Each structure stands twice: as C-alpha cells, then as structure tokens.
Amino acid sequence: MQILIFSKNRAQQLNLLLKSLYKNAPQFPDISVIHTWSSEQFKLGYDKLIKIYPDVKFVVENGFRNTTLQEIEKSTELICPMVDDDIFYRPTSIVIEEIKECLNNIQNSVLSFRLGTNITVGDNFTNEPVIQPVFTQIRNENRNL
C-alpha cells in the first residue's frame, strides 16, 4: 500500500506525520510526498526533510492535478491519501493484507484513516450518517485495529 501525502508550506507538520508513521504505523513503508512551497524559506524546510527521510519519495508538485495523476498511475497498489497535518497518535495494528482482502472486489476505492468509529455524521448540513466501510466490520469482529 502506498501512502500519498500532500503538503504545501508545512514541513514541520509533515515531519510530525512522518515521525508518527515510522513510530506507530511501520507496516506502511511505501510513502510518497507531493510537496510545493511559496518561498525559499519554506523550500529549505522540505530540503531538510528530504535528508532526514531518505526512504520517503519526495515529488515536487508541478501542477496539482497532473502531479497527482502521475503518481497514481505509477502505483500498482492501493493508495491511501493523507495531508501533512494528519498523524498516527497511537500504535496501529492494521494489517495491509486484511485491507487488500476487504477491498479486493472493489475496482475503485480509497482508503482513509481520518474517520474513526466515533464519527457518526458525514454531512453537518444534512446530518446524513457516515457510511461505515466494510473493513470496520472485520476490525470489530476479528481484532482491535
């Protein structure tokens, strides 16, 4: 599974996310970051992260849509999009193979760790409930992910 992170002008937040992934979700080794900056000062932050995280693939954004589509087309695995202010605040026992199995028969799918089982409303304007993903049932029945 590829973690695809989007970041603009927020190297410090990205650093926290990457630290949290290495500490609390080491089972996700394939990490790419599409990043851009608006000034040389912001660029220096990303330059430091590139040295700190040599295993992470850093891609300079050259048009958001085109760069994102290029990265998606290169991937042969499930893609999990994230943004630079996400973090894994505790260890996770999510098993990649279980996720792939759950999504095996779904042609187009996106995996997101942003919604927990504590979230019940998906649209604050209509109070429409969140549709719980299939793997939630597996998590609740088989293990505490």
Side-chain angles (χ1 to χ4, degrees), residues 63-109:
F64 180 80
R65 183 177 190 276
N66 289 338
T67 306
T68 302
L69 289 175
Q70 287 171 0
E71 288 305 303
I72 289 171
E73 288 172 3
K74 290 177 190 175
S75 179
T76 59
E77 299 254 349
L78 181 65
I79 296 173
C80 178
M82 301 184 89
V83 292
D84 53 21
D85 62 352
D86 292 329
I87 63 166
F88 281 77
Y89 63 92
R90 65 179 177 215
T92 179
S93 61
I94 293 172
V95 179
I96 295 172
E97 294 308 315
E98 286 182 357
I99 294 170
K100 288 179 181 178
E101 185 179 318
C102 289
L103 300 174
N104 193 21
N105 295 323
I106 303 172
Q107 235 178 359
N108 297 312
S109 55

Side-chain angles (χ1 to χ4, degrees), residues 4-38:
L4 183 58
I5 303 168
F6 301 95
S7 182
K8 180 177 181 180
N9 292 342
R10 300 196 322 178
Q12 281 290 61
Q13 287 90 334
L14 177 60
N15 185 37
L16 181 59
L17 169 56
L18 293 172
K19 279 183 182 180
S20 75
L21 279 167
Y22 278 88
K23 179 182 177 187
N24 294 323
Q27 67 270 44
F28 303 115
D30 187 7
I31 303 170
S32 296
V33 175
I34 296 176
H35 66 292
T36 188
W37 54 87
S38 61

Side-chain angles (χ1 to χ4, degrees), residues 116-135:
T117 55
N118 61 318
I119 306 297
T120 57
V121 175
D123 185 329
N124 289 329
F125 294 108
T126 65
N127 286 328
E128 196 171 310
V130 169
I131 299 171
Q132 292 292 330
V134 175
F135 68 85

